[in-house]
Amino acid sequence: MKKIILLGAPGSGKGTLAERITAKYGIPQISTGDILRQNIADGTELGKKAKAYMDKGELVPDALILDLIAGRLAQPDANDGYMLDGFPRTIAQAEALGGNLAEGGSGIDFVVYLNTPKDELIKRISGRRLCSACSKSYNVNNNEFAPSSEGVCDACGGGLIQRPDDTEAVAENRIDVYNEQTLPLVEYYRNAGLLIELDGMGPVYDKVDAMSRLIEKV
Ligand code: ADP
Ligand code: ZN
């Protein structure tokens, strides 16, 4: 049973790391951003409420997020552990998680904090492209992750699109919101003795290795 939180700014690489760890250990990645985007695509009430905040790069109100995450942690696949990607994002959310969220939140093993400088965050976010058909993620600002032909998915031939909140202006706002509302969680979890800091600039395999050692220890 492993319960892990991934903490880091937008563009710090939480999602990429979570995908690799899921592939290696089968621990489910629970991304509040992905769940919200799915709700928008499905046209749910939650999706309608969340979209306006997300398009501006603001946080979705805690009450909506806490409902969503309590429901997700109650799913059977979360019983054997999980990696939270994008939650908690405020002290109030962290306190709700620590207060159990109806059992699902108790006993976090560790918090991995990806520390990445701001100019790198903007470069990564503004270069991110997603396949409109299979959701595979690319980066036009990084040769390692660039598609082999511009605008086309290597995996399925689908067209590549930019997320509405990945434009440079919205990305700037997301980083400001992160610094104000989410960064205090670094001290919060450091004080709880749970924080493991990793250099967000290093290669992905280094971070996968570091995280693998932590997972195999608990
Ligand atoms: P990133 O980490 O790259 O900003 P996410 O996909 O995690 O991207 O989040 C996209 C948007 O979804 C956020 O800007 C915010 O509006 C909303 N969101 C996701 N998770 C939360 C959360 N825990 N609390 C509030 N809003 C959230
Ligand atoms: Zn594709």
Side-chain angles (χ1 to χ4, degrees):
M1 171 85 123
K2 290 158 178 84
K3 293 181 174 175
I4 304 164
I5 294 173
L6 293 172
L7 191 59
S12 61
K14 301 184 298 290
T16 308
L17 182 57
E19 275 165 29
R20 306 287 170 97
I21 295 295
T22 299
K24 192 166 169 188
Y25 294 100
I27 303 172
Q29 168 189 14
I30 298 184
S31 158
T32 42
D34 285 349
I35 298 171
L36 291 168
R37 279 183 290 276
Q38 189 61 52
N39 274 273
I40 292 175
D42 293 346
T44 68
E45 280 309 307
L46 170 63
K48 284 178 196 149
K49 288 182 191 149
K51 188 177 185 335
Y53 296 99
M54 292 171 74
D55 284 350
K56 283 185 287 192
E58 305 289 334
L59 294 187
V60 174
D62 285 339
L64 296 176
I65 297 290
L66 293 177
D67 264 5
L68 173 167
I69 200 86
R72 181 63 187 85
L73 295 184
Q75 299 291 309
D77 69 330
N79 275 339
D80 300 325
Y82 47 73
M83 250 175 318
L84 296 175
D85 160 11
F87 177 89
R89 249 182 166 90
T90 62
I91 295 281
Q93 291 179 12
E95 286 182 340
L97 179 69
N100 259 351
L101 281 185
E103 309 295 298
S106 55
I108 294 296
D109 290 295
F110 56 86
V111 178
V112 170
Y113 167 45
L114 295 173
N115 192 353
T116 315
K118 181 172 176 180
D119 51 346
E120 174 71 11
L121 298 173
I122 297 284
K123 182 177 151 207
R124 288 188 194 170
I125 295 173
S126 59
R128 178 157 61 184
R129 299 291 183 273
L130 300 170
C131 174
S132 54
C134 76
S135 302
K136 189 171 156 53
S137 158
Y138 294 88
N139 203 305
V140 298
N141 289 337
N142 179 332
N143 289 336
E144 195 186 338
F145 300 104
S148 35
S149 81
E150 199 185 313
V152 183
C153 177
D154 291 342
C156 80
L160 302 186
I161 51 167
Q162 186 176 42
R163 239 168 71 178
D165 58 345
D166 278 349
T167 57
E168 201 164 321
V170 181
E172 289 270 2
N173 191 41
R174 282 160 65 201
I175 292 169
D176 290 345
V177 167
Y178 166 81
N179 284 329
E180 278 162 35
Q181 304 198 51
T182 307
L183 200 56
L185 291 177
V186 170
E187 286 318 307
Y188 179 90
Y189 285 119
R190 204 194 302 280
N191 291 336
L194 294 175
L195 199 83
I196 314 275
E197 184 164 339
L198 297 182
D199 179 2
M201 291 296 286
V204 181
Y205 63 79
D206 263 4
K207 286 170 258 182
V208 172
D209 281 355
M211 203 154 148
S212 300
R213 284 193 294 276
L214 292 165
I215 288 173
E216 285 161 21
K217 226 166 51 186
V218 292

